Amino acid sequence: MQHVIPFATYRPIAWAEARDDATNPTCVILHLTASEATSQHGYFSNPANKACSNTHVARSGHIEQYIRGDRLSAADSYGSSRAFSIETQGADANGRWTPEQCESIARIIAWAHQTYGIPLRLMTSSATGEHGIGWHRLGVNGNFPSMPNILAGRMQRGGGEVWSSAFGKVCPGDNRIKQIPAILDRAIAIVAGADTNPGGFMPDLTEKDQRELKDRVDDIYALLTTPIKDGRGAAPPRAIWERVLNAARRVLANQLADEVVPVEVDVDAGDVADALVERLDALLERLPADTARTVVDTLTARLSK
């Protein structure tokens, strides 16, 4: 079927696809579910919820399609009649899309361009005449940053269609919005057949980055092993370190820091893991998944000695 993504799992929502509301998508709109559910099929299947998107992308990159591309979704309020909507797994509004999610979103964007002619450009507002790749906040009123900041919302962009009645809704979140230009670049490369990284979304590290990463492994280890005590002055138990490492594997890494400044943290033992994960998250970004795993595995081996 032309309007079903060939690399997605097609799980049609009966009540949504039964509506005779033909559409011709002119934009792709990105969303966050504010949920860690790997699928939204159960929630969308209940017509009483009055909600449904065209697709959902799990953290693993798995894509489910619930509504054909030429049928009305119910994700963008007044913009739904012209939007191809992508919901994404994630409960943390301040989080980031995983490399696997970025890759799948880019593939959907490339497919939408090839199928419907949706321009491969970032939308600048939710105005009816704006076509391209957008995100929910473009049509949301709120006290967001002023233009020309990419984090600006509907009010800061001079109006346009209202895509949500919730004032200040951050969807899909600041950090994810900042990822969208790179996702679009990836989609453009896929369409152009100039894909220099067919194995995944994240770019290869430059030689300079590789040298920095080698140094950073030592820095990260030193940082994580900086004396950290709980409220009683005791070193955190091994279970705390294991929580840190498990969280680090989930983060799978996001940022090479410009500098490392170890500090002593005086917190309750139950908060130690969160403090450490914040440190690690601040150090890692835009690493290929394999490289991130190498970093985490190296830390695991060292901390286990």
Side-chain angles (χ1 to χ4, degrees):
M1 295 174 63
Q2 177 185 0
H3 304 289
V4 174
I5 301 170
F7 46 86
T9 299
Y10 185 39
R11 303 183 69 189
I13 303 297
W15 69 266
E17 290 216 335
R19 297 180 301 178
D20 188 19
D21 296 315
T23 63
N24 181 27
T26 62
C27 56
V28 173
I29 306 301
L30 303 177
H31 296 259
L32 181 69
T33 62
S35 165
E36 287 301 338
T38 57
S39 171
Q40 290 295 307
H41 187 269
Y43 181 78
F44 288 156
S45 292
N46 185 352
N49 290 326
K50 298 180 180 179
C52 194
S53 66
N54 292 100
T55 59
H56 175 264
V57 180
R59 287 186 182 277
S60 66
H62 181 70
I63 304 167
E64 290 187 342
Q65 183 169 359
Y66 307 126
I67 307 175
R68 288 172 34 164
D70 63 341
R71 289 289 183 268
L72 180 71
S73 74
D76 296 290
S77 189
Y78 291 99
S80 294
S81 62
R82 67 188 188 93
F84 187 93
S85 54
I86 303 175
E87 284 282 4
T88 59
Q89 177 186 351
D92 182 4
N94 296 316
R96 297 177 177 87
W97 284 311
T98 66
E100 292 81 4
Q101 282 178 306
C102 291
E103 175 71 11
S104 292
I105 293 168
R107 293 179 68 198
I108 294 172
I109 289 172
W111 173 86
H113 168 75
Q114 294 166 330
T115 304
Y116 302 110
I118 294 175
L120 294 175
R121 59 180 292 272
L122 295 179
M123 298 174 69
T124 59
S125 75
S126 62
T128 305
E130 271 288 300
H131 300 172
I133 311 307
W135 49 99
H136 204 185
R137 188 184 296 184
L138 292 179
V140 175
N141 293 324
N143 298 320
F144 299 118
S146 301
M147 288 293 287
N149 196 315
I150 193 174
L151 303 178
R154 179 179 178 274
M155 293 166 56
Q156 294 76 27
R157 295 172 183 271
E161 293 174 334
V162 176
W163 290 350
S164 174
S165 60
F167 186 88
K169 187 173 185 177
V170 299
C171 179
D174 290 0
N175 290 326
R176 292 181 179 86
I177 291 173
K178 292 175 183 177
Q179 290 179 284
I180 295 174
I183 292 174
L184 176 58
D185 288 344
R186 170 73 172 144
I188 291 171
I190 292 171
V191 170
D195 183 2
T196 59
N197 184 29
F201 169 81
M202 303 305 280
D204 293 330
L205 289 180
T206 64
E207 289 186 11
K208 178 176 179 293
D209 284 341
Q210 290 180 42
R211 289 195 301 272
E212 288 184 356
L213 177 61
K214 183 179 182 297
D215 294 336
R216 287 295 180 257
V217 170
D218 293 333
D219 290 339
I220 293 168
Y221 173 69
L223 184 63
L224 290 179
T225 53
T226 298
I228 293 179
K229 59 186 179 180
D230 63 22
R232 298 174 300 280
R238 179 66 197 172
I240 295 295
W241 290 110
E242 291 174 353
R243 279 181 57 197
V244 173
L245 293 169
N246 288 335
R249 290 189 182 94
R250 289 195 301 273
V251 170
L252 274 183
N254 286 320
Q255 183 171 7
L256 282 171
D258 293 328
E259 58 181 319
V260 178
V261 185
V263 294
E264 184 170 303
V265 181
D266 187 2
V267 292
D268 290 335
D271 296 330
V272 170
D274 292 336
L276 290 174
V277 171
E278 285 181 9
R279 294 185 184 188
L280 183 61
D281 195 24
L283 289 169
L284 302 172
E285 184 175 303
R286 296 186 63 79
L287 292 181
D290 289 345
T291 305
R293 290 189 182 95
T294 298
V295 171
V296 173
D297 289 346
T298 300
L299 290 173
T300 302
R302 293 192 183 190
L303 290 170
S304 298
K305 291 180 179 179

